[in-house]
Amino acid sequence: MEFSSFLTSLGTSFTIFIILMLLFTWLSAKRGNAVVYYPNRILKGLEPWEGGLKTRNPLAWIREALSSTEQDIINMSGIDTAVYFVFLGTVLGILVLSGVVLLLKNAKSTTSKGTFNDLDKLSMANIEERSPRLWAFLIAVYWVSLVTYVLSWKAYKHVSALRANALMSPEVKPEQFAVLVRDLPDVTPGQTSKEQVDSYFKSIYPDTFYRSLVLTNNRKVDKIWAELEGYRKKLARTEAIYEESRRKGNSEGKRPTNKTGFLGLCGKQVDSIEYYNEKIKKMTQKLEAEQKVTLREKQLGAALVFFTDRVTAALAAQSLHAQMVDKWTVTDAPEPRQLIWTNLTIKFFVRIVRQYMVYVLVFLTIVFYMIPIGFISAITTLENLRKLLPFLKPIVDQVQIKTVLEAYLPQLALIIFLALLPMFLLFLSKIEGIPSGSHVIRAASGKYFYFSVLNVFIGVTIGGTLFDTLKSVEEEPNSLVPLLAKSLPGNATFFITFVALKFFVGYGLELSRLFPLIIYHLRRKYLCKSEAEIREAWFPGDISYATRVPSDMLIITIVLCYSVIAPVIIPFGVLYFALGWLVLRNQALKVYVPSYESYGRMWPHMHTRIMGVLLLYQVTMLGYFGVIQFYYTPILIPLPILSLLFYYVCRRKFYNAFCHTALEVASQELKETPNMELIFRSYIPPSLIPEKQEDEQFEGALSRVSRTGSFVWSTSFVYFHHSDAVL
């Protein structure tokens, strides 16, 4: 890439960001757009604009983000979001402290060759082999490693404290009184799974066992419930249309009609309101009948067991309940909204087989994706495109077009290619048999990280280098390794542009929310009629850790691995994480609504990946110094060993408290006696909640065996949202 193209890409990206930021300032100040730019505040009953319309000031959102505290983030978006900002702050600190040394050292120890090509003025490309000046670079590798150890250790301690404080909260959290029990043994003749679970846990925990909820085969009842909910939505929409016609026309209004045939295109014409009311009445009766059959006759081999205190639940989740590992598997219960019901009854060995099958699929995906990504990185340069597609020469040879294409073409091709992957990885993680939505997201995030590192960082580097040096390798095969090493600094400009594109354009679009705004107004104008449909149109969802964390990890991989080779990349990494911290701080406080709370369970995943990136960086530098024949390269050998040792110590010290709730945490007093019936009902799937308050008592999977042996189940409940498909 020519230096002019590099400057063009930076200038264009910065201009786009400024335009998007100004658009955000203008659009977010309009009251009609408040639900797009301030949904989190609106849902919590707060005014969209703090202090009125002061946010018309272009810098007001920056001031609000900078002045916000960690507790503000926790109050608005929960512990998981606060932990994400600990991650951003830790990485930012690593890059800033590394950059101070690396850039000062580099400014004093490098000289220009008289050309700006490949930014050689600020890279190791012009350092001669065996040069004593390489000592400075070698010491810098140790400095970066030391900074990473210190800051990641401090972050681990801080996140551990955040998690403990949240779990010690005097507020009642349903998941702290429940455990998930899988792999129930076969029931004896004449006994139900419900009776089996009750007798088993009552004998072990006679004083604190409350009741159990045995899982059932809900496929049929879920289908009926979904159909019933569909008719209710249609009725609400129809009534909204009717009310609108009454407001616009006469007081009578025009009653909506529809055809009863296929997709409403054929069949008898009927009054929509009467038709949907009749359908709802029939489906309600059908649902009630199926609920009773399901609870009585379709019990499966898993259950949720409830205890009257948090300590017993924590003990049960950490204890071995059966001699055989594939019987009575007890784990912490996820939040009610996180449960993936269809995964809970998958047997122990089936889960293991699925897990290994998914690992193989992910491995094959990484391997075969590397081929097209390496190919794209090789051909998406103007020189190669002109060779492969000669008819494009008249277009790409124009100065203005050539400059823009050189600046953006490879990076855009790579970003678009990567956008196709996340949903597939989420699907693979779900079919492993993972029981909770947050765990699925952690698993998918890990897969995406390995994919990004192997395919983007390594694949692009090797792919682009091999394409350029293929003829030299054919003539002298033994020159492959030296050629790759010498070409490594030349890839720095590609990755600098990639990082700049991600933070200027990416965070500009994130802040401006142009696409969500356009989609909302189009849906509001042409599709939405009822209040529920309007809310669905503007509801923002969560911060999407499954893709956001791996993307951040890819950036720190690129920046760290090139930090010594081409330290000029460090300011771009600092800008990426600083701007991300600022923009996402605003989004966390005002936009995104968490879909779950795992109390920082993502942090060990983040820490492991940071250590993985550091290890890759150290191995890369060890290989690079070796290839350029620096005599003292073996001095770097202890670093990877030290990183593995540091990771082992961190895991032994902190990790268990993230897997389970420590008893000293669970033993903290609550401010009120928990309402166990409400806790129990929060886990009942929506399709099994009775439609009528006065409905008869249900027997079966939800029945309660009292101390006297009578069946009791209150049908008053608090509704909690559940979903089979958390993805």
Side-chain angles (χ1 to χ4, degrees), residues 593-623:
V593 179
S595 59
Y596 65 84
E597 178 61 82
S598 68
Y599 306 104
R601 188 64 181 81
M602 177 68 95
W603 173 255
H605 163 93
M606 293 172 172
H607 183 265
T608 299
R609 304 307 179 256
I610 291 173
M611 289 298 101
V613 169
L614 181 64
L615 191 62
L616 177 63
Y617 160 71
Q618 291 166 344
V619 171
T620 300
M621 297 315 303
L622 186 62

Side-chain angles (χ1 to χ4, degrees), residues 83-93 507 552 576-577 580-581 584:
V83 168
Y84 177 65
F85 283 103
V86 173
F87 162 71
L88 291 180
T90 301
V91 173
L92 184 59
Y507 283 128
D552 295 339
Y576 174 88
F577 286 101
W581 187 95
L584 292 173

Side-chain angles (χ1 to χ4, degrees), residues 53-273:
L53 291 179
K54 291 181 180 178
T55 48
R56 288 183 184 274
N57 181 336
L59 301 180
W61 69 275
I62 297 176
R63 174 181 53 78
E64 291 165 5
L66 290 173
S67 63
S68 64
T69 64
E70 187 171 69
Q71 191 58 48
D72 292 331
I73 294 294
I74 293 172
N75 293 339
M76 295 300 294
S77 291
I79 298 294
D80 287 328
T81 305
V83 168
Y84 177 65
F85 283 103
V86 173
F87 162 71
L88 291 180
T90 301
V91 173
L92 184 59
I94 291 170
L95 295 182
V96 168
L97 292 176
S98 300
V100 168
V101 171
L102 287 166
L103 289 171
L104 287 176
K105 174 271 305 172
N106 199 70
K108 294 176 181 178
S109 64
T110 60
T111 58
S112 176
K113 295 177 182 177
T115 174
F116 287 109
N117 286 347
D118 293 327
L119 299 179
D120 67 282
K121 187 177 182 180
L122 290 171
S123 76
M124 286 181 69
N126 63 331
I127 302 295
E128 296 178 0
E129 291 183 359
R130 308 179 188 181
S131 170
R133 287 158 56 193
L134 289 171
W135 266 108
F137 290 92
L138 188 144
I139 293 170
V141 177
Y142 266 90
W143 169 251
V144 173
S145 301
L146 179 64
V147 166
T148 305
Y149 298 147
V150 172
L151 293 186
S152 61
W153 177 271
K154 290 179 64 177
Y156 221 141
K157 286 184 67 176
H158 181 59
V159 173
S160 296
L162 282 179
R163 177 177 170 83
N165 289 335
L167 293 175
M168 285 191 293
S169 167
E171 302 292 333
V172 175
K173 299 178 175 67
E175 63 274 12
Q176 291 187 303
F177 293 86
V179 294
L180 173 63
V181 184
R182 307 168 85 178
D183 310 307
L184 302 184
D186 296 333
V187 296
T188 57
Q191 188 183 41
T192 65
S193 294
K194 170 69 178 174
E195 292 167 344
Q196 178 193 43
V197 173
D198 284 344
S199 62
Y200 183 82
F201 282 93
K202 205 170 182 181
S203 66
I204 300 175
Y205 309 97
D207 298 324
T208 53
F209 171 72
Y210 177 67
R211 65 190 294 185
S212 65
L213 188 161
V214 173
L215 273 68
T216 52
N217 184 345
N218 295 346
R219 186 170 299 177
K220 188 172 181 180
V221 75
D222 283 346
K223 184 178 179 182
I224 297 170
W225 181 80
E227 193 174 349
L228 175 60
E229 289 298 299
Y231 282 124
R232 284 174 173 160
K233 288 180 180 179
K234 289 178 181 178
L235 177 62
R237 178 183 176 85
T238 302
E239 288 176 338
I241 293 172
Y242 178 54
E243 287 301 319
E244 186 178 359
S245 72
R246 292 180 65 181
R247 288 195 303 269
K248 291 183 177 179
N250 53 46
S251 58
E252 295 290 328
K254 182 181 179 182
R255 291 182 69 85
T257 60
N258 66 281
K259 293 181 179 180
T260 58
F262 179 72
L263 296 177
L265 301 175
C266 57
K268 183 181 177 183
Q269 193 87 9
V270 295
D271 182 288
S272 296
I273 295 177

Side-chain angles (χ1 to χ4, degrees), residues 504-636:
F504 275 139
V505 179
Y507 283 128
L509 288 171
E510 171 71 57
L511 182 66
S512 66
R513 289 181 60 78
L514 276 183
F515 294 119
L517 180 70
I518 293 168
I519 291 170
Y520 163 69
H521 282 294
L522 288 175
R523 291 180 66 179
R524 175 74 188 268
K525 184 174 179 63
Y526 298 107
L527 299 176
C528 299
K529 298 298 180 182
S530 66
E531 288 298 321
E533 289 174 334
I534 293 173
R535 184 182 181 279
E536 186 179 339
W538 58 257
F539 191 78
D542 62 17
I543 207 165
S544 302
Y545 296 113
T547 54
R548 195 175 296 279
V549 172
S551 295
D552 295 339
M553 289 294 182
L554 174 60
I555 299 301
I556 190 174
T557 302
I558 292 168
V559 175
L560 264 190
C561 289
Y562 278 92
S563 61
V564 174
I565 295 172
V568 71
I569 200 172
I570 295 176
F572 292 91
V574 169
L575 276 173
Y576 174 88
F577 286 101
L579 195 58
W581 187 95
L582 189 65
V583 170
L584 292 173
R585 196 89 169 176
N586 177 80
Q587 307 302 77
L589 291 168
K590 300 170 184 175
V591 180
Y592 291 121
V593 179
S595 59
Y596 65 84
E597 178 61 82
S598 68
Y599 306 104
R601 188 64 181 81
M602 177 68 95
W603 173 255
H605 163 93
M606 293 172 172
H607 183 265
T608 299
R609 304 307 179 256
I610 291 173
M611 289 298 101
V613 169
L614 181 64
L615 191 62
L616 177 63
Y617 160 71
Q618 291 166 344
V619 171
T620 300
M621 297 315 303
L622 186 62
Y624 184 77
F625 278 103
V627 167
I628 60 177
Q629 301 178 31
F630 184 53
Y631 287 125
Y632 299 99
T633 298
I635 294 175
L636 292 175

Side-chain angles (χ1 to χ4, degrees), residues 30 51 82 93 137 174 188 246 268 351 353 368 386 428 448 495 502 562 594-595 620 628 676 694 714 718 722:
K30 295 182 176 297
F137 290 92
T188 57
R246 292 180 65 181
K268 183 181 177 183
R351 296 198 298 271
V353 171
F368 286 105
R386 291 170 81 254
L428 287 181
Y448 197 36
F495 284 118
K502 289 278 284 185
Y562 278 92
S595 59
T620 300
I628 60 177
M676 293 305 302
E694 67 276 8
S714 171
V718 177
H722 296 262

Side-chain angles (χ1 to χ4, degrees), residues 358-359 362-367 369-370 373 418 421 425 429 432 442-459 546-547 549-551 553-554 557 604-613 615-616 647 651:
V358 167
Y359 289 165
V362 170
F363 173 76
L364 292 175
T365 302
I366 289 172
V367 170
Y369 243 67
M370 190 177 290
I373 283 189
L418 287 175
L421 193 68
L425 296 180
S429 298
E432 285 184 47
R442 292 197 301 273
S445 179
K447 295 176 179 67
Y448 197 36
F449 166 75
Y450 294 122
F451 177 89
S452 298
V453 169
L454 291 172
N455 281 282
V456 179
F457 175 68
I458 297 176
T547 54
V549 172
S551 295
M553 289 294 182
L554 174 60
T557 302
H605 163 93
M606 293 172 172
H607 183 265
T608 299
R609 304 307 179 256
I610 291 173
M611 289 298 101
V613 169
L615 191 62
L616 177 63
Y647 171 71
R651 191 172 182 87

